[in-house]
Amino acid sequence: MGIATDIILLVVASFFCGLLMYRLGQPVILGYIIAGILLGPHTGGLTVSSTHEIELLAEIGVALLLFALGLEFSLKDLKPVKKIALIGTPIQILLCIGLGFGIGRFMGLSWQPSLWLGALISLSSTMVILKTLMNQGWLGTLSSKVMIGMLIVQDLAVIPMMIILPQLSDPDMGLSVLGPAVIKAAIFMAGMILLGTRLLPRLMTYIARLGSRELFLIAITAIGLGIGYLTQLAGLSFAFGAFVAGMVLSESEYGHQALSDIIPLRDLFGLLFFASVGMLLDPVFLLDHVQEIMILVLAVSLGKGLIFAGLARIFKYGNVIPMAVGLGMFQIGEFSFVLARIGVATGSITQELFSLVLTTTVVTMVLTPLVSGMTARLYALKKRLRKQDPMETINIPKTGLHNHVIIAGFGRIGSQVAQVLQCLGLPFVAIELDQYRVDSAKQAGVPVIYGDSCHEIVLEAASLSTAALVLITLPGIVQAREVAAQVRRIRPRLPIVARTSDKECLGIFKELNVQDVVMPEFEAGLEMTRKTLAYLHIPAPRIYQYTESLREQVSASLPGQTNEYTLLQQLKSAEHLFDLQWVDITEDSPLTDRTLGEADIRQATGASVVGVVRNKELTINPGASFKVHAGDMVALIGTDQARETFFKTFLPGASSPVSCKKVEI
């Protein structure tokens, strides 16, 4: 079989294994790893023949992932985490090297392999952590920014490790090689800044003007991989170069389009990476050394987890962040593969130690999505067991909260609602788990509680017992459902308004007796429909009838559609169904220079004037003393016959227009 057949087998097997994991409620990447194990060279049966070529393609997956991360990333995102990234990460690496050295000595290894073991376990997996954060919806939170900042510095630390570790027997040579590497890195960064600010924006502008999506996609892929390859030639990390390229490109106006185009390619090559990780696992070696591997996995996971969590606490990150960082970065990273191969090639570590570290790495990678997914539950358990610790509340009124709105989620939608409520002086409180958003709410003077709104203790802190309404703006259906269920358990009749992006989820909210559900994408579609029909000169009543019929079809799936609500909708429809018509008043019109009372339009025609525009200023419901001038534009309502009578009486010779006239005010 050739490489093409191998890729087909991996993609098909990964699809079915990923589908199985998804149905079981597990991360999809576990399915990719299982597919790699099944098709790997150590399990027999149907086997991938070109393992090395798949590993090379997997490196492209790592580079594309970091390239996409760079497109989403901004140097501004590092500001909240710069201290722990630049100072804490070197400390973490040294502590982990010490941990690995102690484990190695306990296993009976000499000092040199023990030092190598420490270096290997000091690195965490950028690929696994990023994919896990994406699947869990944590990407963009302060916890994720702490992890990403530390991962970037870890990836940079691989370079001196690759130079120094093989030269342990000759320290002078190692230092002499490290100096040029540092100079190369500095030159590369300076070159990328120059390239990113001068050349890349012009290049992307030229390609975008060509109007070819294919060329645009190829261009951004060539930029990411090409710059990564140049950094590899310079002796630096291929993936790190791709990340820097993405970060530089993100500053251009085409960054968002580049990100949306590169995501499918990133996910496909990312699949090959996780499958290649699975192919490295030898089940026979795992069974023969199961005790050693389990002890090593336990020691590394606990040790690294405590180190990361402790550093987060030392650098004054509180609440869930230390736990999230510790449970997210305990695994051994993919760059340890590269470092371990160098160790074997130079005779610094044995093949058995290489296999032991490799198997431990794969096991910790597999455990990462499962362990990291326990963060919210463990944090809630910690809060429950330590009820004497008060919740972190900010800007809560001293008089407490009564008859207020609880906003679960202070994202784009939640913050917009909060702004309106704040302007109207209505009481409310927001609940948010992202520390960055909590800080933003604090600066804006918004009452906010740091915590997960899925948990009873957090809702109690938000005074759910005295609330008037719960607004769930969380985009994830799982989280939104848990919040609604928790509210229903405590207060069965409290009104709830929820948000969802999927029409299929309406049944879930109906079961929970949620009063109203808003679908932002659906509402955006209706608004686009309105504007489209308006520009096509479709009468306003027909536009309203059509869009409201679509809304009623969706609303029929929701609970709480009482007779009062139906009557309110009918009244609203009746209001919009008035056919408002704008009419220009000419100099020869009998209405010119007469007051509305003198003209007695209602009595004479049956129509009514409800507005007048003069010099781009609107007068609503003008009184009987209002005098009409030539050039005015009047808003007329009434039946077709009444308006026809108005035209015959006050605009002889003119015909009633069919379409609505656009008025500029």
Side-chain angles (χ1 to χ4, degrees), residues 239-277:
F240 174 70
F243 170 77
V244 175
M247 191 167 61
V248 169
L249 191 58
S250 69
E251 301 300 326
S252 72
E253 57 183 315
Y254 304 103
H256 293 292
Q257 182 62 46
L259 176 63
S260 63
D261 286 352
I262 205 68
I263 283 177
L265 199 62
R266 175 202 69 186
D267 291 341
L268 179 60
F269 279 93
L271 178 152
L272 295 178
F273 167 78
F274 289 106
S276 68
V277 169

Side-chain angles (χ1 to χ4, degrees), residues 606-649:
S608 299
V609 174
V610 295
V612 178
V613 173
R614 178 180 297 167
N615 298 325
K616 296 186 178 182
E617 292 186 2
L618 174 64
T619 301
I620 301 176
N621 292 326
S625 60
F626 186 90
K627 180 177 288 188
V628 180
H629 295 165
D632 286 350
M633 189 179 296
V634 300
L636 199 67
I637 61 171
T639 63
D640 291 341
Q641 183 178 359
R643 285 181 293 166
E644 190 67 29
T645 303
F646 176 88
F647 271 76
K648 290 179 180 179
T649 305

Side-chain angles (χ1 to χ4, degrees), residues 281-302:
L281 183 65
D282 185 354
V284 176
F285 182 86
L286 175 61
L287 293 176
D288 291 342
H289 300 79
V290 63
Q291 186 175 358
E292 296 174 79
I293 292 172
M294 290 301 102
I295 292 175
L296 189 57
V297 168
L298 188 62
V300 170
S301 301
L302 286 177

Side-chain angles (χ1 to χ4, degrees), residues 6 61 125 212 230 272 283 346 382 461:
D6 291 341
S125 175
S212 172
L230 290 177
L272 295 178
T346 58
K382 173 189 171 185

Side-chain angles (χ1 to χ4, degrees), residues 7 40 121 130 246 350 363 374 391 463 509 608 611:
I7 293 176
I121 71 169
L130 289 179
T350 63
V363 172
M374 297 170 60
M391 295 291 298
S463 301
F509 290 115
S608 299

Side-chain angles (χ1 to χ4, degrees), residues 208-390:
R209 287 177 178 173
L210 294 178
S212 172
R213 282 293 288 273
E214 293 83 359
L215 280 178
F216 188 84
L217 174 60
I218 293 172
I220 59 176
T221 306
I223 290 172
L225 299 182
I227 293 177
Y229 178 67
L230 290 177
T231 59
Q232 189 177 40
L233 293 179
L236 301 173
S237 168
F238 175 55
F240 174 70
F243 170 77
V244 175
M247 191 167 61
V248 169
L249 191 58
S250 69
E251 301 300 326
S252 72
E253 57 183 315
Y254 304 103
H256 293 292
Q257 182 62 46
L259 176 63
S260 63
D261 286 352
I262 205 68
I263 283 177
L265 199 62
R266 175 202 69 186
D267 291 341
L268 179 60
F269 279 93
L271 178 152
L272 295 178
F273 167 78
F274 289 106
S276 68
V277 169
M279 289 190 295
L280 294 173
L281 183 65
D282 185 354
V284 176
F285 182 86
L286 175 61
L287 293 176
D288 291 342
H289 300 79
V290 63
Q291 186 175 358
E292 296 174 79
I293 292 172
M294 290 301 102
I295 292 175
L296 189 57
V297 168
L298 188 62
V300 170
S301 301
L302 286 177
K304 288 187 68 175
L306 291 174
I307 289 173
F308 278 108
L311 283 172
R313 179 66 67 181
I314 290 172
F315 280 85
K316 299 181 180 180
Y317 292 97
N319 300 305
V320 76
I321 296 177
M323 185 177 292
V325 174
L327 295 177
M329 300 188 70
F330 69 90
Q331 77 290 123
I332 304 176
E334 57 272 0
F335 284 120
S336 297
F337 297 152
V338 180
L339 200 57
R341 289 194 185 102
I342 295 175
V344 173
T346 58
S348 301
I349 61 175
T350 63
Q351 183 64 42
E352 183 177 358
L353 180 58
F354 173 81
S355 300
L356 189 65
V357 172
L358 186 147
T359 306
T360 303
T361 301
V362 175
V363 172
T364 55
M365 285 182 172
V366 171
L367 291 175
T368 298
L370 301 174
V371 174
S372 179
M374 297 170 60
T375 301
R377 295 187 183 93
L378 291 176
Y379 183 67
L381 179 62
K382 173 189 171 185
K383 288 293 183 183
R384 196 172 294 116
L385 294 176
R386 300 179 60 186
K387 288 189 176 181
Q388 68 275 15
D389 293 345

